[in-house]
Amino acid sequence: MKAIRARESTGVSGLAFEDVTDPRPMFCEVLVKVAACGITHNELEWPLWTCRAGHHRTTIIPGHEVSGVVAALGFGTAGLAVGDEVFGLTDQLRDGAAAEYVAVEARNLALKPRTADHVHAAAVPRAGLTAWQGLFEHGKLAKGQTVVIHGAGGAVGSTAVQLARWAGAEVIGTGRGHSRELVTELGADRFIALDGDRLEDVTGQADLVFDTIGGELLAKSPTLLRPGGTLVTIKADAQLPAGRDDITTVAFVQESSRAQLTELARLVDQGQLRPQVGAVYPLARAAEAFGAKAAGGISGRVILQP
Ligand SMILES: NC(=O)c1ccc[n+]([C@@H]2O[C@H](COP(=O)([O-])OP(=O)(O)OC[C@H]3O[C@@H](n4cnc5c(N)ncnc54)[C@H](OP(=O)(O)O)[C@@H]3O)[C@@H](O)[C@H]2O)c1
């Protein structure tokens, strides 16, 4: 099959469109014919170069958000059938979905939203699972509370805005000014442009800060929280700010969950969650796609199509 591959020494700049061996579905896995694959621009900077067995990986097929059609079943796989339209988050320590086919553990997939095409379905898994887990599992967001979402126009942020709104929270989004229209349209009550407005105006107002940006913004975010509030960041390697013993701080990496994927698909089908696709590229132009997203200014997810 054709796939995009990276080598550790060259990262995104060395991404190559190559012929590779077809994957085989193993124990409790399915083979998915990829229709669309979501990428995160800096995913090759994550610690993915060691597989679960501890061996060094010399190449990586990136892209872990997939939407496609089940083409074959591995030994013992139940609950999915050949021909099912599925979406999900593939194991990040294995070859991903920037390819014509990918082998995925069946438990990491769910039936795709019926009302979304594959391109939009592929924008949901990582963004949706991360936003869900950050807001509701780690952040314990409840109806009537106030959440500040940093990076609200991004793939994770734009999903978090919609989920927080659906949960009945007051939503304050932040980001660059170009995101204001989108974030407001997705349901945020307020938008603070970090390149123009005053973040200080919401000091002490949040029950939860959900951060997707990190750096200096993360460092000063405790001031936005009420006593008893929670600061959740998805910049998993970030230094969590210290200095307040009346707040909780959490940094985490998302996990796959068929139950949560199914719930996200239901919200898409009910019109509560609109997957945000900023650009679509053919698989062969993956390097260009990574570069364009990294340059900033593309809202939502960038999708590759074989
Ligand atoms: N821990 C986890 O489980 C997890 C899961 C998913 C993603 N992540 C990480 O979380 C980050 C966000 O992911 P994503 O997929 O949502 O990325 P994304 O689509 O690029 O979203 C980031 C958003 O933040 C904005 N932004 C970035 N730096 C900013 C700054 N200095 N000032 C104002 N706005 C800024 C971006 O605007 P521009 O487009 O204008 O730059 C964009 O709207 C990435 O670093 C990713 O690797 C972690």
Side-chain angles (χ1 to χ4, degrees):
M1 67 170 184
K2 289 284 188 194
I4 293 294
R5 280 207 298 203
R7 285 162 182 78
E8 188 173 17
S9 54
T10 50
V12 172
S13 64
L15 287 176
F17 185 53
E18 301 178 335
D19 288 311
V20 307
T21 309
D22 286 10
R24 273 195 309 134
M26 309 298 278
F27 197 82
C28 293
E29 293 183 353
V30 300
L31 183 70
V32 177
K33 182 171 173 34
V34 178
C37 160
I39 57 166
T40 300
H41 69 82
N42 58 355
E43 63 180 77
L44 291 171
E45 295 162 20
W46 301 343
L48 305 178
W49 292 94
T50 306
C51 71
R52 292 199 189 278
H55 304 304
H56 191 70
R57 304 170 72 192
T58 53
T59 62
I60 282 180
I61 295 178
H64 299 99
E65 291 173 298
V66 64
S67 186
V69 178
V70 174
L73 303 179
F75 178 85
T77 305
L80 291 174
V82 171
D84 280 349
E85 295 194 299
V86 292
F87 78 134
L89 183 70
T90 73
D91 185 339
Q92 300 173 81
L93 296 184
R94 291 178 58 180
D95 278 339
E100 289 178 299
Y101 291 90
V102 62
V104 189
E105 288 168 272
R107 64 182 174 179
N108 291 342
L109 297 168
L111 294 178
K112 96 174 196 356
R114 281 176 290 101
T115 55
D117 58 19
H118 286 293
V119 164
H120 287 83
V124 174
R126 195 198 307 278
L129 291 166
T130 307
W132 185 281
Q133 290 162 22
L135 294 175
F136 305 133
E137 292 188 344
H138 302 293
K140 309 272 187 298
L141 184 66
K143 187 174 178 181
Q145 291 189 330
T146 299
V147 57
V148 172
I149 298 170
H150 291 322
V156 178
S158 62
T159 308
V161 166
Q162 297 178 79
L163 293 180
R165 179 79 189 174
W166 164 76
E170 180 175 343
V171 180
I172 302 171
T174 80
R176 294 202 173 91
H178 69 79
S179 297
R180 183 186 302 276
E181 195 179 328
L182 172 69
V183 173
T184 310
E185 202 245 320
L186 292 177
D189 298 279
R190 283 180 72 179
F191 181 81
I192 297 176
L194 297 169
D195 48 6
D197 301 334
R198 283 168 40 90
L199 187 63
E200 299 73 32
D201 289 350
V202 291
T203 296
Q205 292 185 22
D207 299 286
L208 172 65
V209 173
F210 181 62
D211 165 59
T212 76
I213 294 179
E216 282 176 31
L217 184 62
L218 173 63
K220 60 186 178 191
S221 287
T223 61
L224 307 180
L225 286 165
R226 298 187 169 120
T230 303
L231 171 56
V232 173
T233 182
I234 63 170
K235 301 297 276 190
D237 57 351
Q239 179 81 35
L240 281 168
R244 269 188 75 173
D245 56 12
D246 61 342
I247 63 168
T248 303
T249 55
V250 183
F252 80 101
V253 172
Q254 90 290 317
E255 295 175 345
S256 197
S257 157
R258 181 184 281 175
Q260 289 171 8
L261 286 168
T262 300
E263 180 66 5
L264 290 162
R266 188 180 67 80
L267 291 176
V268 172
D269 286 336
Q270 288 179 345
Q272 307 275 5
L273 176 60
R274 280 191 287 136
Q276 298 302 306
V277 174
V280 183
Y281 287 79
L283 184 61
R285 286 171 52 202
E288 194 184 326
F290 273 91
K293 179 67 182 173
I298 298 180
S299 298
R301 191 54 95 212
V302 168
I303 303 294
L304 302 177
Q305 276 197 300

